[in-house]
Amino acid sequence: MIPAPPRWRRRDLAAHVVARMGGALLAGLAMHARAASSGGSGAPAPGPGTAPAAPRGSAATGGGPAAPLPRWTRRIPSSGEPVPAVGLGSWITFNVGRDAAARAGVAEVMRAFFAAGGRLIDSSPMYGSSQAVIGEGLARLGAVPLFAADKVWTGGGSRGADQAEASRRLWGVARFDLLQVHNLLAVEQHLPMLQQMKAAGRVRYVGITTSEGRRHADVEALMARERLDFVQLTYNPLDRQAEQRLLPLARERGIAVIANRPFREGQLLRELQRHPLPPWVADAGCDGWAQAVLKFIVTHPAVTCAIPATSRVDHVRQNLGAAQGAEPDEAWRRRLAAHVAAL
Amino acid sequence: MTEWWTYRPSDLLMFSARTHERLFESLNADWWPLHGVMLAAGFTAWGLLATRRRAASGAACIVIGCVWAWVGWAYVWRELAGVHNQGDLIAGAFVLQALLLVGGGLAQALDARRGPVASPSATPAAPFGALLMGWALLGQPLFAGLVGRPWSQAQVFGLAPDPTALFTLGLLVARPVVPRRLAWISVLPWLVPLGWCLFSAMTAWTLGAPEAWSVAVGAAWAVGVAVWSRWRARRA
């Protein structure tokens, strides 16, 4: 039985809502200020070393589609940098090998992702050809407001640094924004190496990852002991183990949280789509179960970003569409989790 | 990989069903019309095995060994390794299998003075092995159409690994590459084909593809007949 999240006191809930609304207002004002100074891009300024922002359809170009609606953003605790609450994963969906048509399709998914206000793309050397496919897509798209997140996935020793460099070349970026130790593989060797890279300015953020509830005790120990910018873990309405210790610890330690497997690689959505969407879910601005699940995930106060993976343009637009409008409160989240668990 | 017991086969799947299908579409498109040549090589090997002559049997093993090297490059290296991070390792295993078969074939061919191989009555497993070889040559390519796939995804002997592995298992059942008196060595040529069949069946099953049944049943057939044949030989 999944333990219920801690009950929110009324004043805590009010403070949370005011903080969220204030943060959203400030983020919106900042976006408009940057748009005025940069010619209407409307996108958050990228960090140094990443590709500059130049989304399509800006006012400066004098035409084309209107700028995307403001999306929910979350601030990375260690820096205050805002990042959109919905990112893009690349496990399986971007691993298309030599298939030129499929690679072009991935590039279109990426184009739609950036056009809808997305920034963070996550990958790993474990994901087959995904890194190379992302690199090809970035080359096709030109300048985009990318937040490049990748991982180190190899045995210990110096191979981590070599692999990170090989990954960087596949992406075609000047440097990664975030590098993470994938599934804690050789974490005792790679984490110090990544910290050194950060000190040298070769990466901006450092993190660790796990998935499907594995090694949470080890992750917790690292979060408590190490200076981490990010932790990536599995979190969705059914996989809520992280609520017990890891998510509260992330808030306490100022560690940003990336939620992977939001749809359990599609299995969760396939099961949910056999059931009608409740009216109270649609009333929260959800056009389907995918948006409901993503709203649940990214409105947890500790979660910074969710990274659903998809190979379809319509799905990436729908996913980004989850992070806009009024944010549901904790009561809605608890109700959704109970409803999903009961199905 | 820690906590390996918590991983399901689906956790190890690296690509989508559509990507998997596109691998065979690309393979067939790139190498058409080599399919006829490969099938001819398979039927030739089948015919050579039926002659009971050691030199012909050795030549058949050499032909199949070369086919393994070709499939290891044309499919495993060029297609699969692009989407599977252990593809290099699998391609190496295919090369190893090629060397085993070519080496065994050369040994048989050079040993031709020992006279013809055992008669069919002394090798009761031979017809069962021939049946599996026939399925690999004829049944596997047609399987795509039977399960509603486009013919562009058909898996043909000498290009796709599944029919190549099943044909080889049939060959090993019908005519051991290594004499059974060299007991542990005689198992070696079985390892890579069986390993591939296990990998392919798990992949197809995880993807929900019906091909999982074809390769799993074929491999089980070969193992079952081989075990039965050894048991019968010991009783005799």
Side-chain angles (χ1 to χ4, degrees):
Chain A
M1 179 176 163
I2 299 172
R7 291 180 59 85
W8 283 59
R9 293 179 295 184
R10 192 171 301 174
R11 63 179 180 184
D12 292 337
L13 179 61
H16 170 74
V17 170
V18 168
R20 292 285 184 164
M21 291 175 62
L25 178 62
L26 286 173
L29 289 172
M31 286 169 60
H32 281 292
R34 277 191 289 272
S37 64
S38 65
S41 69
T50 54
R56 292 170 175 266
S58 65
T61 62
L69 292 172
R71 307 289 185 191
W72 300 344
T73 57
R74 302 289 183 259
R75 296 201 173 271
I76 299 169
S78 61
S79 67
E81 176 183 355
V83 63
V86 175
L88 184 61
S90 60
W91 170 236
I92 292 182
T93 52
F94 283 14
N95 184 19
V96 297
R98 300 187 305 126
D99 189 338
R103 286 185 169 223
V106 168
E108 291 308 306
V109 169
M110 293 170 62
R111 188 191 307 278
F113 172 72
F114 290 116
R119 282 192 62 203
L120 189 150
I121 298 182
D122 178 84
S123 193
S124 170
M126 194 183 94
Y127 300 171
S129 60
S130 294
Q131 294 173 313
V133 173
I134 289 171
E136 184 173 311
L138 292 173
R140 285 177 191 243
L141 298 178
V144 289
L146 171 69
F147 187 106
D150 207 275
K151 305 183 185 74
V152 172
W153 182 69
T154 182
S158 64
R159 284 181 283 171
D162 295 340
Q163 187 184 67
E165 174 60 19
S167 298
R168 186 194 67 77
R169 289 195 185 128
L170 288 171
W171 281 66
V173 295
R175 66 172 178 176
F176 284 113
D177 295 279
L178 166 63
L179 278 173
Q180 307 151 98
V181 181
H182 196 161
N183 286 348
L184 306 188
L185 179 61
V187 65
E188 299 300 334
Q189 288 83 34
H190 295 319
L191 201 52
M193 180 272 295
L194 292 179
Q195 298 286 12
Q196 287 173 3
M197 286 182 65
K198 181 181 175 183
R202 291 162 55 203
V203 67
R204 297 203 297 133
Y205 301 105
V206 169
I208 58 176
T209 84
T210 184
S211 65
E212 297 188 75
R214 296 188 184 99
R215 301 190 67 180
H216 273 203
D218 294 331
V219 171
E220 180 181 348
L222 287 164
M223 290 172 67
R225 186 178 76 228
E226 303 288 342
R227 280 169 43 206
L228 299 172
D229 301 298
F230 278 81
V231 62
Q232 184 178 132
L233 44 78
T234 297
Y235 184 60
N236 58 59
L238 285 182
D239 296 309
R240 299 173 58 197
Q241 183 184 356
E243 287 179 354
Q244 297 176 36
R245 301 183 70 84
L246 297 189
L247 293 180
L249 183 58
R251 291 194 75 192
E252 177 187 324
R253 295 277 292 166
I255 302 173
V257 175
I258 296 176
N260 61 35
R261 291 176 55 86
F263 304 142
R264 285 185 166 182
E265 290 166 26
Q267 180 194 6
L268 175 58
L269 286 186
R270 284 191 293 273
E271 291 177 3
L272 289 175
Q273 282 160 357
R274 289 165 29 207
H275 305 276
L277 194 72
W280 54 271
V281 175
D283 290 343
C286 302
D287 70 356
W289 281 111
Q291 289 195 347
V293 168
L294 287 173
K295 281 187 191 287
F296 170 87
I297 295 169
V298 302
T299 51
H300 187 287
V303 172
T304 308
C305 180
I307 48 170
T310 181
S311 57
R312 288 175 53 165
V313 169
D314 56 339
H315 285 180
V316 79
R317 289 177 180 145
Q318 187 178 36
N319 292 341
L320 269 292
Q324 62 180 15
E327 293 196 24
D329 59 14
E330 181 61 23
W332 185 91
R333 298 185 72 255
R334 284 200 297 267
R335 190 178 180 188
L336 182 76
H339 183 83
V340 169
L343 290 178
Chain B
M1 188 168 75
T2 60
E3 299 185 351
W4 55 267
W5 59 92
T6 66
Y7 284 82
R8 299 177 299 269
S10 59
D11 294 328
L12 305 176
L13 185 64
M14 294 192 59
F15 39 78
S16 65
R18 182 61 191 139
T19 296
H20 190 235
E21 293 162 5
R22 287 285 298 157
L23 295 181
F24 294 106
E25 290 178 0
S26 172
L27 177 74
N28 290 329
D30 284 351
W31 299 109
W32 176 261
L34 206 59
H35 303 63
V37 173
M38 289 303 174
L39 286 173
F43 280 109
T44 301
W46 198 6
L48 288 170
L49 286 168
T51 65
R52 296 180 53 226
R53 290 165 53 199
R54 286 189 191 275
S57 181
C61 290
I62 294 171
V63 167
I64 302 306
C66 293
V67 167
W68 271 88
W70 168 254
V71 173
W73 179 77
Y75 176 76
V76 181
W77 180 261
R78 285 186 83 241
E79 304 290 346
L80 183 66
V83 295
H84 197 291
N85 52 31
Q86 303 302 318
D88 297 354
L89 202 66
I90 298 172
F94 273 55
V95 170
L96 181 65
Q97 180 68 11
L99 293 173
L100 281 171
L101 289 171
V102 168
L106 282 173
Q108 284 193 42
L110 294 174
D111 207 22
R113 62 192 169 183
R114 290 184 59 201
V117 297
S119 66
S121 61
T123 53
F128 299 99
L131 203 60
L132 187 55
M133 286 190 279
W135 169 257
L137 291 176
L138 297 170
Q140 277 291 114
L142 298 176
F143 197 79
L146 288 174
V147 299
R149 293 202 190 287
W151 292 111
S152 58
Q153 297 175 16
Q155 298 189 32
V156 178
F157 168 84
L159 287 169
D162 282 3
T164 305
L166 290 176
F167 184 94
T168 305
L169 290 175
L171 180 154
L172 294 172
V173 166
R175 196 65 50 80
V177 174
V178 177
R180 289 202 183 96
R181 61 179 181 274
L182 301 174
W184 68 272
I185 299 179
S186 67
V187 172
L188 290 180
W190 284 80
L191 297 180
V192 174
L194 282 179
W196 172 263
C197 288
L198 177 64
F199 169 80
S200 182
M202 293 289 288
T203 300
W205 177 71
T206 306
L207 292 171
E211 285 83 351
W213 289 107
S214 170
V215 70
V217 169
W221 171 276
V223 172
V225 170
V227 169
W228 166 77
S229 175
R230 291 289 294 269
W231 172 79
R232 235 189 102 144
R234 283 183 178 166
R235 280 192 64 192

